[in-house]
Amino acid sequence: MAPSFSDPLVELRDLTFGYGERVILDGVSLTVPRGKVTALMGASGGGKTTILRLIGGQNRAQKGELRLYGAGGDHVDVGALDQEQLYAARRRMGMLFQFGALFAGLSVFENVAFPLREHANLSDGMVRDIVLMKLNAVGLRGARHLMPSEISGGMARRVALARAIALDPELVMYDEPFSGLDPISLGTAARLIRQLNDSMGLTSVFVSHELEETFQIADHVIILANGKVAAQGKPEDVRKSEDPLVSQYVHALPDGPVRFHYPGPTVEQDFGVAPAPLVPPSRQGAWS
Amino acid sequence: MSWYRPSDVGFSLRSQLADLGLGARLFVRLLMLFGRAFRRFGLIRDQIHFLGNYSLAIIAVSGLFVGFVFGLQGYYTLQRYGSAEALGLLVTLTLVRELGPVVTALLFAGRAGTSLTAEIGLMKAGEQISVMEMMAVDPVQRVLAPRFWAGVIVMPLLAAVFSATGIIGGWVVGVLMIGVDAGSFWSQIQGGVDVWQDVGNGLIKSVVFGFTVTFIALLQGYEAQATPEGVSKATTRTVVMASLAVLGLDFILTAMMFSL
């Protein structure tokens, strides 16, 4: 049973989405509480990034409703918006893509300035001040002149984060912000998500596979499996879950409800013989 | 895909029609974005610089060599009939009416068209198009439209450069090297080339080729699969489709212009 929140920002109600006959999300219901940090976890291909894309209106669900709430409790169904309404809804969001997706031809400064120049009619001086403030928040004020090809992957994601918050959105979505980062960058990214959420009054949703960092910074954890919500709640409650699937994920077990072997013919069917022992009988005991 | 199974043929046909529909919708959108694109002329100016300036060298050098060859071939043919003084007119009419627009469009497809396709395709592969959409910025308006209108503007200018350098090439070979009379060379051009009939025809062709080549390049980039292989295939398709479209349209336009 999904916990109810008095002040949700996003709510998925019985949402179904798939590509052709392949179902990714099967009647998923979940809530992203306003002002909190929500983590989406689960095995690869489980539909975490799809949820972010559905919230951003990049994909549309085949069934169900995706509500984006306003300050007064009013809401819109993101899946039913036309392009103009969708763009209006997206101005309330910022999204950090997995590898930053910086504009390769623009400097760090111009990347962060891009949404300001497109949407806000500000003087150059004002744009400069805002960009430097945002870059300062992610610790890269000094890197403003560099090009994306001159910065590391971790820095690129911080620049992308500064760009995502340039227009002071209500909701920031992060698609695997920790993947491929070294421990220092990973810790920095995790702290940034938490700090920015609290200092700017944001609502944050992030997709992650890093258990420790996620459980440290998240207020609310949702674990997806087989197209459904397997568990959700506070990090400590999810960690203690006795659900076999959640337990396998949280304790990183190689086999369990999520099988190690992809379904297919048996070994006997493929090779026509019983599986051979790893050590030939003649060599057994040779090491003992 | 097997041609004897109606379901496969139907699926293929439906996919082709869907692609055609997508292309047609994008083309109409780009035309309708004329006003908005020109309101931010700085974006078009940057693309004119990128597409035009960087294509200038290959266009000018190619024009010069084509002019050299026409000088030689033209003289060889004309002197048989004792009309070597008409060399300037022959070179100019061939370049302005036909080869200028066509060869420029083919070179533009190879130099700037591939660059446009690869740029848009890589932006797509690097999620830069998606990130723009998530920022509520329309990529067709912000990225495609300035490039499209810049291509349309640049093509006739490059064709003019091609024809001009070609005429100079013809003059170098005909007048300086072979010894055709310089006065005859230039006066034949002055008297024989009609601004509306000849230069106008060439201009119309190059504008049509500008629309065609730039649109094909942008469409292929925008519809490219977001993988290195997808971008590579899209780039190849740009050259093949744009070249065939230019040659096919050239025949149609020439036939129409002769019938007028």
Side-chain angles (χ1 to χ4, degrees), chain A:
Chain A
M1 178 71 190
S4 62
F5 293 96
S6 58
D7 191 12
L9 182 64
V10 178
E11 192 178 3
L12 276 65
R13 292 188 165 198
D14 198 23
L15 211 72
T16 300
F17 177 82
Y19 296 104
E21 290 178 3
R22 186 170 161 241
V23 177
I24 307 290
L25 300 173
D26 184 12
V28 167
S29 295
L30 58 87
T31 304
V32 175
R34 193 186 294 271
K36 306 282 185 194
V37 175
T38 300
L40 285 171
M41 305 185 85
S44 296
K48 307 176 295 297
T49 301
T50 303
I51 288 181
L52 298 190
R53 294 179 67 86
L54 286 163
I55 295 172
Q58 290 177 290
N59 290 340
R60 301 210 176 204
Q62 278 95 24
K63 200 171 126 246
E65 192 182 0
L66 198 153
R67 292 182 171 189
L68 177 67
Y69 285 88
D74 54 315
H75 68 266
V76 291
D77 180 2
V78 174
L81 301 178
D82 62 28
Q83 196 189 29
E84 201 173 318
Q85 293 167 326
L86 185 61
Y87 276 10
R90 282 178 182 168
R91 284 193 200 118
R92 297 170 55 197
M93 306 173 189
M95 180 149 177
L96 180 74
F97 283 72
Q98 193 172 352
F99 298 106
L102 296 181
F103 300 123
L106 301 180
S107 67
V108 164
F109 181 94
E110 286 301 328
N111 261 283
V112 181
F114 186 88
L116 295 166
R117 296 199 201 283
E118 291 297 318
H119 290 304
N121 191 18
L122 300 172
S123 65
D124 284 350
M126 190 80 90
V127 168
R128 177 188 172 278
D129 290 349
I130 294 173
V131 170
L132 293 186
M133 277 162 54
K134 301 298 178 187
L135 282 173
N136 194 52
V138 298
L140 292 174
R141 189 166 39 83
R144 74 190 92 160
H145 301 302
L146 298 177
M147 294 301 285
S149 57
E150 296 171 317
I151 58 178
S152 68
M155 286 167 76
R157 264 177 256 196
R158 281 152 69 189
V159 175
L161 177 54
R163 184 177 64 181
I165 59 171
L167 288 168
D168 294 331
E170 290 172 57
L171 171 69
V172 181
M173 295 181 281
Y174 305 80
D175 188 7
E176 300 201 27
F178 309 137
S179 70
L181 294 184
D182 63 75
I184 299 170
S185 303
L186 200 155
T188 307
R191 273 194 304 279
L192 265 176
I193 292 173
R194 184 75 248 179
Q195 280 171 8
L196 289 173
N197 190 80
D198 297 344
S199 62
M200 294 179 65
L202 304 171
T203 300
S204 306
V205 187
F206 70 102
V207 169
S208 172
H209 294 293
E210 300 293 332
L211 292 166
E212 287 313 312
E213 278 71 18
T214 300
F215 284 176
Q216 270 175 28
I217 65 166
D219 298 309
H220 183 56
V221 176
I222 299 166
I223 296 189
L224 295 164
N226 302 325
K228 294 181 183 296
V229 174
Q232 62 177 320
K234 292 179 181 170
E236 55 271 23
D237 297 336
V238 171
R239 203 191 283 268
K240 285 181 206 154
S241 172
E242 291 179 2
D243 181 285
L245 212 148
V246 177
S247 176
Q248 184 192 359
Y249 186 81
V250 171
H251 297 104
L253 303 173
D255 215 345
V258 177
R259 307 297 302 176
F260 173 71
H261 282 289
Y262 192 82
T266 61
V267 173
E268 289 82 355
Q269 283 170 329
D270 268 346
F271 297 105
V273 291
L278 289 175
V279 181
S282 59
R283 305 270 305 170
Q284 280 178 3
W287 298 98
S288 58

Side-chain angles (χ1 to χ4, degrees), chain B:
Chain B
M1 161 93 201
S2 47
W3 289 105
Y4 53 86
R5 282 177 60 184
S7 58
D8 283 357
V9 175
F11 179 78
S12 170
L13 197 66
R14 208 178 58 180
S15 305
Q16 300 282 338
L17 280 174
D19 289 347
L20 201 66
L22 276 173
R25 280 177 60 186
L26 182 65
F27 187 68
V28 171
R29 273 214 70 200
L30 288 169
L31 291 179
M32 289 171 68
L33 284 168
F34 172 81
R36 286 190 188 183
F38 277 85
R39 269 204 289 276
R40 292 181 73 179
F41 189 72
L43 295 175
I44 296 182
R45 183 201 55 215
D46 292 347
Q47 291 305 318
I48 288 174
H49 177 257
F50 177 72
L51 300 175
N53 274 24
Y54 297 154
S55 305
L56 208 53
I58 187 174
I59 295 288
V61 172
S62 305
L64 200 63
F65 280 110
V66 168
F68 288 160
V69 172
F70 262 92
L72 288 170
Q73 296 282 17
Y75 180 77
Y76 174 75
T77 310
L78 291 172
Q79 55 93 24
R80 288 181 169 192
Y81 304 99
S83 314
E85 68 276 6
L87 180 66
L89 183 63
L90 174 78
V91 170
T92 305
L93 285 182
T94 313
L95 284 168
V96 168
R97 287 181 63 97
E98 193 59 50
L99 279 187
V102 172
V103 179
T104 302
L106 295 176
L107 291 170
F108 185 82
R111 166 63 185 81
T114 49
S115 153
L116 281 176
T117 304
E119 185 191 14
I120 308 290
L122 288 172
M123 282 182 83
K124 202 174 167 190
E127 293 188 310
Q128 292 171 40
I129 298 287
S130 296
V131 88
M132 220 176 260
E133 284 174 343
M134 277 307 298
M135 283 179 200
V137 175
D138 179 6
V140 175
Q141 188 180 325
R142 178 63 177 71
V143 178
L144 300 196
R147 284 161 176 76
F148 178 69
W149 288 108
V152 173
I153 292 170
V154 151
M155 186 73 88
L157 298 175
L158 290 175
V161 169
F162 184 94
S163 296
T165 51
I167 293 166
I168 292 169
W171 172 76
V172 168
V173 169
V175 176
L176 298 186
M177 291 169 68
I178 299 175
V180 173
D181 180 59
S184 303
F185 186 92
W186 293 115
S187 63
Q188 287 275 347
I189 295 175
Q190 200 176 7
V193 177
D194 184 84
V195 172
W196 298 114
Q197 279 292 317
D198 302 319
V199 180
N201 278 3
L203 181 70
I204 290 169
K205 278 185 183 177
S206 59
V207 170
V208 171
F209 296 157
F211 275 103
T212 309
V213 174
T214 316
F215 174 69
I216 289 173
L218 292 174
L219 177 69
Q220 292 305 324
Y222 200 56
E223 296 297 324
Q225 278 191 327
T227 59
E229 192 192 4
V231 175
S232 145
K233 281 183 178 171
T235 311
T236 308
R237 273 200 305 273
T238 291
V239 177
V240 174
M241 288 177 68
S243 303
L244 290 176
V246 164
L247 295 172
L249 277 171
D250 182 49
F251 170 68
I252 294 168
L253 288 170
T254 307
M256 283 169 68
M257 286 164 182
F258 272 120
S259 67
L260 286 176

